[in-house]
Amino acid sequence: MSAAPAAPAEQKLDFDPDALREKYRAERDKRLRSDGEAQYLEMSGRFAHYNEDDPYVAPGFTRAPLTDEIDVAVIGGGFSGLLAGARLKEAGVKNFRIIEAGGDFGGTWYWNRYPGAQCDIESYCYLPLLEELNYIPKEKYSYVTEIFEHSQRIGREYGLYDVTCFQTRVTSIDWDGASKRWIVSSNRKDRMKARFVIMALGPASRPKLPGIPGIDDFEGHSFHTSRWDYAYTGGDTNGGMTKLGDKRVAIIGTGATAIQCVPFVAKYAKQLYVFQRTPSSVDLRGNRPTDPEWVKTLKPGWQRARRENFAGILTGQTFEEDLVNDGWTDIFRNVLALPKSDKPMTPEEIGRTMELADFRKMNGIRARVDNTVAHKPTAESLKPWYRQFCKRPTFNDEYLPAFNQPNVELVDVSAARGVERITKKGVVANGHEYEVDCIIYASGFEISTEFRRRVGLEINGEGGKSLFDHWADGFRTLHGFSTRGFPNWFYIGISQNALSVNMTAMFDEQARHIAYVIKETQARQGKTVQPTQEAQDAWVELISKLQLNNRAFLEACTPGYYNNEGTVRAGLGAGTYTPGINAFNALLQEWREQGEMKGLEIGT
Ligand code: NDP
C-alpha cells in the first residue's frame, strides 16, 4: 500500500515549520511583560501637554461659553464626524453642531502631520465622498496634505464650517431625564443641550507614551509623532527639516508611524537612533500617480463598488477582478484564502494550510530585509518573527534602505523588553547611554486599551449611570451604535459592528444609518430613541455566536495593541460582526428598508 499523497500545502516546503513556530514562540516570550497594557502612560496630568498642545493654531483662542439648544451634537470632526455631518444634512437634519478639539477638520489627519504621513489604504477607497464631491485623488496612496485638504473640502462643500466649534474638547456628556436632552460640557465651559449625541471620536485619537523610567528627566526636546514640532525640526510634512542638520535624534517605536517618518528624519538629522522593540513587517508600497485614462473609465457608483470589492476580498468573497490589487489584497488572497479543494477541509487542515501560507508570506518579508539592508546584524534585527496579522502590516519603499545610511543606527531593545531608561541627556538601552538632542515618541495610541481610557470623556446616561460601568463586562448594543439606558446616544467606531481596515468606508455606513435613525425619530415626533432590552440582548447573543475565535492566534503573537500587549483581554476584532462589512451593511440597509425601526423604542 502506498502512502497517501501530501496535501498541496505540504509539498515542496523549503522551510521547517516546526523551527519557525519555535522561533516565533521564543520571540514572543522575549517580549512579554507582566505589566501588559499598564506599561503605557496616559497623556493626562503632567503628560497632558503632549496631547493638548496644538502646534497648528495660534495661542490665545477664547470664546464665550455656549449654553444653547441643538438637535444633534457630533463629537469629533475627523472623517467620522464629517461623515455624520454630511449624512445628517442629506437626511434633512439641519440643527446640529460638530465639536472638535483641533483647529480644523481632519481628526487623525489634522494631528498626524509627521513627515511622510500617508494612508496605506488605497486613496480611491479611503477618501470618502469622492463621487459626491467629484474629486479624484492624485495618487494611489495619498499623503496627509491631500487627505487633510479633502477633509476641509468636505467641511466646505457640506457647509460644516458654519456649524462647528473648533478648539473645544468635550469633557463630559450627561443625560438630563427631565428635559430629555444631553448636557454637553467642554473645556470651554460650554453646557450645550443636545437632543441627540453622536460620538465620532475615531479609534486613534488619544496618543500614549511609553512608560520608560526617567521619561521626565530628559532635558532636551521631545514630542509625540502625532504632534510633530516643525518649529523645532524645520520643514513640513514633505521634508525640508533642515534644523535637524546639527541634531542627534532618537525615535522610539517602529510601528506604522515610524515606518513612514524614519526615512525623512534619516535624510535631515545629523544622527538618528531608531529604538526598536519589535520590527514591523514592511512590504512593498508601489505608489503611483492616478492614471487619467483610468479615471475616464469610471462609471457612477464606482467608489461604492470598489470599496465593496476591496472589503469583500478581505473577507474571503470571490470576485472576478481584484480592483485594488495591492499589498492588502495580496495578503488576503495568499495568506487567508484557502485553496480550492474537492473535499471539505477539517479545521486542523484549514489551520495548517493558513499557517504555511503565512510562513511563506513572512519569509518573503524577511527576504526583502536581506535584499535591502547591507549591514547583516541590522538586517537580522529588522526581521519580523511572527504571523502577518499579529501586528499591523506596513508598506513602504524607503524605510529599510534608510538603515544603509551612515547616520542611521538601529538599536534593538528587544532583550530588555524596551528602552531601559531616559536620562537628562538621552536614552539608555542595552547598558549604553545614547546622548541625543531630541526624542520623538512613535509610541502609538490608545486603540485597544480599556474603553474608559481610550474615550477620554465622561458619559453618564439615565440615572447618572456611567457608560463605562454599564459596559464594564463588554459592549452591549444594538448593531454597535446604541445601548439601552443611554437614550439618543450613538457611537461611530469599532464596537459590535463589522470591522474593516478601510475605516472611512466603515464609518460612512455607520453615519448613514445613525442619520436615518435620528431623522425617523424626529419624523415620528419622538423625543427619545434607544434599543429595547430584547433587541439588544438578541444582538449581543448573535455577536457572541459569530465572534472571531482568534484567541489562540493572538496568544501566540508578539505583544502589541492587537493582543492587548499579550494579555488578550479582548483582542482587536473581538466581538465584531464576522460575516464582514459588506454583509453588515446589507443587513443595515435591509433594516432601514423595512422602515419599522425594529428593535428601537421611541419615547415621546
Ligand atoms: P504602534 O502602537 O503601532 O507602535 C508603537 C511602537 O512603540 C511599537 O513599535 C512599540 O514596540 C514601541 N514601543 C512602545 N513602548 C516601547 C518601549 N518601552 N521601548 C521601545 N519601544 C517601545 O503605533 P503607531 O503610531 O506606529 O501606529 C498605530 C496605528 O495607527 C497603526 O497600527 C495603524 O492602525 C495606524 N496608522 C495607520 C497609518 C495608515 O497608513 N493608515 C499610518 C500610521 C499609523 P512593540 O511593537 O514592541 O510594542
Side-chain angles (χ1 to χ4, degrees), residues 1-2 18 103 109 156 229 252 257 347 356 399 465 505 511 521 524 532:
M1 211 168 78
S2 61
D18 292 333
W109 301 106
R156 272 195 320 273
D229 189 350
I252 298 181
T257 297
L356 290 178
Y399 177 74
K465 185 167 189 184
T521 305
R524 292 162 198 234
T532 64

Short mmCIF file of all heavy atoms in Angstrom, two decimals, residues 1-2 18 103 109 156 229 252 257 347 356 399 465 505 511 521 524 532:
data_model
loop_
_atom_site.label_atom_id
_atom_site.label_comp_id
_atom_site.label_asym_id
_atom_site.label_seq_id
_atom_site.Cartn_x
_atom_site.Cartn_y
_atom_site.Cartn_z
N MET A 1 0.85 -1.21 0.00
CA MET A 1 0.00 0.00 0.00
C MET A 1 0.88 1.26 0.00
O MET A 1 1.79 1.38 0.81
CB MET A 1 -0.87 -0.02 1.27
CG MET A 1 -2.19 0.64 1.05
SD MET A 1 -3.31 0.30 2.43
CE MET A 1 -2.71 1.43 3.65
N SER A 2 0.63 2.19 -0.92
CA SER A 2 1.47 3.39 -0.94
C SER A 2 0.93 4.45 0.02
O SER A 2 -0.25 4.48 0.32
CB SER A 2 1.51 3.96 -2.37
OG SER A 2 0.20 4.29 -2.74
N ASP A 18 8.28 23.65 11.98
CA ASP A 18 8.48 23.50 13.43
C ASP A 18 9.50 24.50 13.94
O ASP A 18 9.32 25.11 15.00
CB ASP A 18 8.93 22.06 13.76
CG ASP A 18 7.81 21.07 13.50
OD1 ASP A 18 6.63 21.48 13.58
OD2 ASP A 18 8.12 19.91 13.18
N GLY A 103 -7.99 72.63 15.54
CA GLY A 103 -8.32 73.93 14.98
C GLY A 103 -8.94 73.83 13.59
O GLY A 103 -9.22 74.85 12.95
N TRP A 109 -5.88 63.04 10.73
CA TRP A 109 -5.08 63.67 9.66
C TRP A 109 -4.85 65.14 9.94
O TRP A 109 -4.07 65.80 9.22
CB TRP A 109 -5.74 63.45 8.30
CG TRP A 109 -5.89 61.99 8.00
CD1 TRP A 109 -7.04 61.26 8.04
CD2 TRP A 109 -4.84 61.06 7.69
NE1 TRP A 109 -6.78 59.95 7.75
CE2 TRP A 109 -5.44 59.78 7.53
CE3 TRP A 109 -3.45 61.18 7.52
CZ2 TRP A 109 -4.70 58.64 7.22
CZ3 TRP A 109 -2.73 60.04 7.20
CH2 TRP A 109 -3.34 58.80 7.05
N ARG A 156 -16.22 72.31 3.69
CA ARG A 156 -16.69 73.45 2.89
C ARG A 156 -17.95 73.10 2.11
O ARG A 156 -18.97 73.78 2.18
CB ARG A 156 -15.61 73.87 1.89
CG ARG A 156 -14.61 74.87 2.39
CD ARG A 156 -13.81 75.48 1.22
NE ARG A 156 -13.43 74.52 0.19
CZ ARG A 156 -12.32 73.79 0.22
NH1 ARG A 156 -11.48 73.89 1.23
NH2 ARG A 156 -12.04 72.95 -0.77
N ASP A 229 6.71 68.66 15.90
CA ASP A 229 7.09 70.04 16.19
C ASP A 229 7.99 70.58 15.06
O ASP A 229 9.22 70.53 15.14
CB ASP A 229 7.82 70.08 17.54
CG ASP A 229 8.04 71.51 18.00
OD1 ASP A 229 7.80 72.44 17.20
OD2 ASP A 229 8.45 71.70 19.15
N ILE A 252 11.61 56.52 19.20
CA ILE A 252 11.29 55.33 19.99
C ILE A 252 10.00 54.72 19.44
O ILE A 252 8.95 55.36 19.47
CB ILE A 252 11.17 55.67 21.49
CG1 ILE A 252 12.52 56.19 21.99
CG2 ILE A 252 10.70 54.44 22.29
CD1 ILE A 252 12.56 56.54 23.47
N THR A 257 3.63 54.27 12.07
CA THR A 257 4.00 55.69 12.02
C THR A 257 5.50 55.85 11.79
O THR A 257 5.94 56.60 10.91
CB THR A 257 3.60 56.38 13.35
OG1 THR A 257 2.18 56.31 13.48
CG2 THR A 257 4.05 57.82 13.39
N PRO A 347 -11.01 21.53 10.38
CA PRO A 347 -10.45 22.74 10.99
C PRO A 347 -8.93 22.66 11.12
O PRO A 347 -8.23 23.66 10.93
CB PRO A 347 -11.13 22.80 12.36
CG PRO A 347 -12.40 22.02 12.20
CD PRO A 347 -12.12 20.96 11.18
N LEU A 356 0.94 27.69 6.94
CA LEU A 356 2.01 27.54 5.95
C LEU A 356 2.06 28.73 4.99
O LEU A 356 3.13 29.23 4.64
CB LEU A 356 1.83 26.23 5.16
CG LEU A 356 2.09 24.94 5.95
CD1 LEU A 356 1.83 23.72 5.08
CD2 LEU A 356 3.51 24.90 6.50
N TYR A 399 11.81 52.90 3.98
CA TYR A 399 12.19 52.64 5.38
C TYR A 399 13.45 51.77 5.48
O TYR A 399 14.44 52.16 6.09
CB TYR A 399 11.02 51.99 6.11
CG TYR A 399 11.33 51.61 7.54
CD1 TYR A 399 11.41 52.58 8.54
CD2 TYR A 399 11.54 50.27 7.91
CE1 TYR A 399 11.69 52.23 9.86
CE2 TYR A 399 11.81 49.92 9.22
CZ TYR A 399 11.88 50.90 10.19
OH TYR A 399 12.16 50.56 11.50
N LYS A 465 -25.95 56.87 35.35
CA LYS A 465 -25.08 55.70 35.22
C LYS A 465 -23.97 55.94 34.18
O LYS A 465 -24.23 56.40 33.07
CB LYS A 465 -25.92 54.49 34.81
CG LYS A 465 -25.09 53.22 34.77
CD LYS A 465 -25.94 51.98 34.67
CE LYS A 465 -25.03 50.78 34.87
NZ LYS A 465 -25.71 49.53 34.71
N ALA A 505 -14.80 53.84 5.05
CA ALA A 505 -15.96 53.19 4.42
C ALA A 505 -16.87 52.66 5.52
O ALA A 505 -18.10 52.74 5.42
CB ALA A 505 -15.49 52.05 3.52
N ALA A 511 -22.49 56.23 9.81
CA ALA A 511 -23.04 57.59 9.85
C ALA A 511 -24.38 57.66 9.13
O ALA A 511 -25.35 58.27 9.60
CB ALA A 511 -22.04 58.57 9.21
N THR A 521 -36.75 59.25 13.96
CA THR A 521 -37.25 59.55 15.32
C THR A 521 -37.93 60.91 15.31
O THR A 521 -39.03 61.09 15.86
CB THR A 521 -36.08 59.51 16.33
OG1 THR A 521 -35.44 58.25 16.22
CG2 THR A 521 -36.57 59.71 17.75
N ARG A 524 -41.24 60.87 13.59
CA ARG A 524 -42.29 60.23 14.38
C ARG A 524 -42.57 61.02 15.66
O ARG A 524 -43.15 60.48 16.60
CB ARG A 524 -41.87 58.79 14.73
CG ARG A 524 -41.83 57.90 13.51
CD ARG A 524 -41.02 56.63 13.76
NE ARG A 524 -40.66 56.03 12.47
CZ ARG A 524 -40.90 54.79 12.11
NH1 ARG A 524 -41.47 53.96 12.95
NH2 ARG A 524 -40.56 54.35 10.94
N THR A 532 -34.61 48.38 22.52
CA THR A 532 -35.36 47.61 23.53
C THR A 532 -34.39 46.60 24.14
O THR A 532 -33.38 46.23 23.51
CB THR A 532 -36.52 46.83 22.87
OG1 THR A 532 -35.96 45.86 21.97
CG2 THR A 532 -37.48 47.74 22.13
#
